[in-house]
Amino acid sequence: MMTLARAIDVSRSYGSVLALDHVDLDVHAGELVGLLGPNGAGKSTLVNLLTGVRRPTGGRVELCGGDPRDPATRKVLGVTPQETGLPSALRVGEVVDFVRAHYPDPLGRDELLDRFGLGDLVRRQTGGLSGGQKRRVAVALAFVGRPRIVFLDEPTTGLDVAARHALWNGVRQFHAEGGTVVLTSHYLEEVEALASRVVVVGEGRVLADDSVAAVRGLVAIRRVSLTTAVPVPDLPGVVGTERDGDRTHLLTPDADRLVRDLVSGDVPFRDLEVRPTSLEEAFLTLTAA
Ligand code: ADP
């Protein structure tokens, strides 16, 4: 299998901040890889190194066997960084045509906009679009040049459900046709919806590189809250306990099992509540365990 993007023992510092700490990563042709981690984990830094926006302070990166800082190598690349600016006076169709003009064999304008559910916006000036619409246009532009590999940094932040699904459909179609995608997200749900392989990044290191199911077990921690007058006994699978007055919060990757154990253990409780934790909370729990 051909390796399209590779990080070999890569480190990157910003002054005294070590954003990446000896990271290795191989992305093969045809993969859709999710980089998952809380804010500040180093995901954008890794994408910026692999796409040639920044240089590593240690180690080496390769894109399609070449240096991502070399313009010839970057021809095969499509990118949507976290922040993008669109020329506000141009219409969406004009922006797409402008970007198309840079590539030898671009996608058709209408085909691209249809793929991302943006056909209705073709005549709208980008300055008048909502934040979510701008974001979708910016993501779609990464696909104009029929790239071999696309990097999307937090592609759906700020999008509503319908817009997020429209965007996912465009990404899935590209992948189904053999395209390679690396996307960053701090939402497990987004990575689950798109990727089969998940690379968990935390504090500048790769903490896990596995299937979605395996990573879900690692980071999908639930908070089970209950009111009880008696101390809750130690139960299997509980990775953290917090007390707040007569309320007890138990953190666990398997809330169903915990609730069954509470009932079968005759623990008297009321006002049971199960809710997901944020990825940040899950990481705190994992690193403290
Ligand atoms: P993520 O994308 O996972 O949120 P980043 O790669 O943006 O993480 O950031 C990783 C770390 O590097 C953070 O501590 C962040 O503050 C720091 N960092 C990122 N970019 C810069 C920069 N241009 N200057 C200084 N520090 C930075």
Side-chain angles (χ1 to χ4, degrees):
M1 222 177 346
M2 180 162 181
T3 304
L4 289 192
R6 170 172 269 180
I8 306 155
D9 197 25
V10 160
S11 297
R12 168 74 207 204
S13 311
Y14 298 101
S16 61
V17 175
L18 184 57
L20 287 180
D21 185 8
H22 298 283
V23 166
D24 290 291
L25 178 73
D26 277 359
V27 178
H28 303 111
E31 279 191 305
L32 204 169
V33 180
L35 301 181
L36 179 71
N39 285 321
K43 305 181 298 295
S44 296
T45 300
L46 185 53
V47 167
N48 287 339
L49 297 179
L50 291 170
T51 57
V53 175
R54 291 186 186 278
R55 254 185 255 266
T57 39
R60 198 154 54 87
V61 287
E62 283 176 11
L63 189 68
C64 298
D67 179 352
R69 297 184 68 86
D70 176 356
T73 310
R74 293 159 60 93
K75 273 188 191 155
V76 300
L77 174 67
V79 189
T80 304
Q82 232 171 58
E83 311 242 327
T84 39
L86 299 168
S88 60
L90 292 189
R91 298 177 198 278
V92 169
E94 290 170 334
V95 173
V96 173
D97 284 340
F98 175 75
V99 177
R100 290 178 72 243
H102 290 76
Y103 292 96
D105 178 29
L107 276 184
R109 180 176 81 180
D110 294 341
E111 186 185 355
L112 178 82
L113 292 175
D114 284 349
R115 281 181 173 216
F116 287 88
L118 296 167
D120 293 348
L121 301 181
V122 64
R123 302 192 56 75
R124 295 270 302 276
Q125 284 185 307
T126 68
L129 299 179
S130 72
Q133 289 168 330
K134 281 184 195 159
R135 187 72 193 143
R136 283 160 68 196
V137 171
V139 170
L141 289 174
F143 296 83
V144 167
R146 300 184 199 271
R148 291 182 71 190
I149 181 165
V150 170
F151 289 83
L152 306 174
D153 198 356
E154 305 270 353
T156 62
T157 300
L159 296 192
D160 63 27
V161 174
R164 179 169 294 180
H165 283 249
L167 197 148
W168 287 351
N169 282 339
V171 174
R172 283 199 189 103
Q173 191 175 346
F174 173 75
H175 180 235
E177 291 165 355
T180 307
V181 182
V182 177
L183 72 99
T184 76
S185 184
H186 56 271
Y187 300 119
L188 180 62
E189 290 68 25
E190 174 148 273
V191 171
E192 260 182 331
L194 291 173
S196 48
R197 174 179 167 204
V198 188
V199 176
V200 182
V201 183
E203 295 179 345
R205 281 172 294 128
V206 172
L207 301 179
D209 182 347
D210 215 320
S211 66
V212 171
V215 168
R216 166 162 270 289
L218 194 63
V219 301
I221 305 283
R222 305 274 150 177
R223 180 191 300 272
V224 178
S225 304
L226 46 99
T227 298
T228 173
V230 302
V232 177
D234 282 343
L235 292 171
V238 174
V239 295
T241 303
E242 297 160 16
R243 280 196 190 79
D244 178 14
D246 61 354
R247 203 92 180 121
T248 301
H249 308 280
L250 304 167
L251 301 175
T252 177
D254 189 348
D256 301 327
R257 173 172 182 191
L258 177 57
V259 172
R260 278 198 293 270
D261 287 346
L262 286 167
V263 173
S264 63
D266 274 335
V267 178
F269 65 81
R270 58 188 168 81
D271 293 338
L272 184 79
E273 194 183 23
V274 179
R275 53 178 191 82
T277 55
S278 68
L279 203 55
E280 278 78 1
E281 287 177 284
F283 269 71
L284 283 178
T285 312
L286 287 172
T287 44

